[in-house]
Amino acid sequence: MMLTLGTLMAAWGETTPQHGLVGLRPLPITAEQASKGNHGGSWAGCPTFDAQKGNYPFCAEHVDVIMGWLDGDFKTKRMFFEYYWGLDAGRDDLDPQKNLLIKTIRGWEAKGGKIEHILICREYDLAIHRGYPDAQPGPFKEDTRILFGKDVDDIRALFRNAHKAGLTKHDNYKLIQMVQHPTFFADDQRFLPILRKVDGIAYECHQFNRHWPLETGWSAPEKVVRGAKWT
């Protein structure tokens, strides 16, 4: 039931807490979702939160932040979610009444969610093969997940306009840039102007596909450590 996503994150301008946060990505949530999931391998037979309801009281009481889920036994309403920009023009419509990111925020806030941050990127490499033929990469071929600077500016303006229209609770939300390369963001000076526009960096690492085995995979420890030290 535990997290299958690893992140390295740097948030700017915040007081360092006295302890780390405990976060959880409930994956999969239901048996139906497990039977359909195939992200690097079948999820069939995985423990699910609906089946385990009532069996994890300590976890339910003490987890600080949840990814993309507010049901079940968890006491916290602090949460975050993952969002892909640049899949098609309709999703990215800058009219807050039509924009899917704003609709997603509204949906979580309507359930009582307190959005800590949004993991965001351009998911071109996968999306182009998964039903989004018009998906567009970011500005760097070395890491196509990275947003354009204009993307961030547009999203910030979208937040302000949505709040002004009474659609969301806040006029800004923290944007954490998800990256796929463990060190490009730290090594290439071209990324710095975009870095200054976002609130942090998240590196995604799985225990399967190109990330595994750890010693020889994409997420080789020395590269991940170098990126983490840079943050």
Side-chain angles (χ1 to χ4, degrees):
M1 295 193 296
M2 292 302 290
L3 191 68
T4 59
L5 172 78
T7 60
L8 301 173
M9 188 176 297
W12 323 129
E14 292 190 356
T15 302
T16 302
Q18 296 302 308
H19 60 83
L21 297 180
V22 178
L24 197 66
R25 180 183 188 181
L27 178 65
I29 298 170
T30 66
E32 181 182 7
Q33 185 189 62
S35 67
K36 294 179 179 179
N38 187 26
H39 194 53
S42 174
W43 296 343
C46 289
T48 61
F49 276 93
D50 58 347
Q52 293 296 320
K53 188 172 182 178
N55 293 337
Y56 50 95
F58 184 87
C59 183
E61 179 72 27
H62 296 287
V63 163
D64 297 293
V65 187
I66 299 289
M67 178 177 175
W69 199 49
L70 289 173
D71 299 315
D73 296 340
F74 295 106
K75 305 300 182 185
T76 186
K77 292 295 182 181
R78 298 169 63 187
M79 53 86 62
F80 65 99
F81 62 90
E82 189 173 322
Y83 191 85
Y84 302 144
W85 195 259
L87 297 189
D88 64 54
R91 288 170 53 104
D92 297 347
D93 194 312
L94 296 180
D95 180 344
Q97 297 283 357
K98 300 176 182 178
N99 185 272
L100 184 58
L101 176 56
I102 297 302
K103 290 180 181 179
T104 303
I105 292 171
R106 293 185 69 190
W108 288 120
E109 290 184 337
K111 292 183 177 182
K114 298 178 181 178
I115 298 171
E116 296 282 305
H117 56 262
I118 300 166
L119 299 179
I120 194 163
C121 69
R122 283 180 171 262
E123 190 69 329
Y124 166 79
D125 284 353
L126 292 178
I128 198 72
H129 303 294
R130 296 185 179 181
Y132 292 94
D134 297 325
Q136 297 295 319
F140 307 115
K141 68 180 187 305
E142 296 88 347
D143 191 335
T144 58
R145 273 189 156 186
I146 292 173
L147 300 172
F148 287 91
K150 185 178 184 302
D151 292 340
V152 184
D153 294 340
D154 286 345
I155 294 167
R156 299 289 189 200
L158 185 65
F159 288 158
R160 292 191 296 271
N161 292 335
H163 182 66
K164 186 176 180 179
L167 300 176
T168 57
K169 291 186 176 181
H170 305 285
D171 64 359
N172 200 13
Y173 296 85
K174 291 181 181 178
L175 295 175
I176 307 297
Q177 169 71 69
M178 292 183 69
V179 298
Q180 65 180 351
H181 194 284
T183 60
F184 174 78
F185 69 91
D187 294 338
D188 198 301
Q189 296 293 310
R190 293 175 298 164
F191 176 58
L192 285 179
I194 300 169
L195 174 66
R196 294 188 178 104
K197 293 176 181 286
V198 298
D199 300 288
I201 300 294
Y203 172 69
E204 184 173 8
C205 176
H206 293 282
Q207 292 98 332
F208 49 78
N209 60 37
R210 67 179 180 180
H211 296 278
W212 205 257
L214 187 62
E215 294 79 7
T216 58
W218 180 262
S219 297
E222 63 272 12
K223 292 182 180 179
V224 175
V225 168
R226 183 152 60 89
K229 284 183 176 179
W230 181 86
T231 62

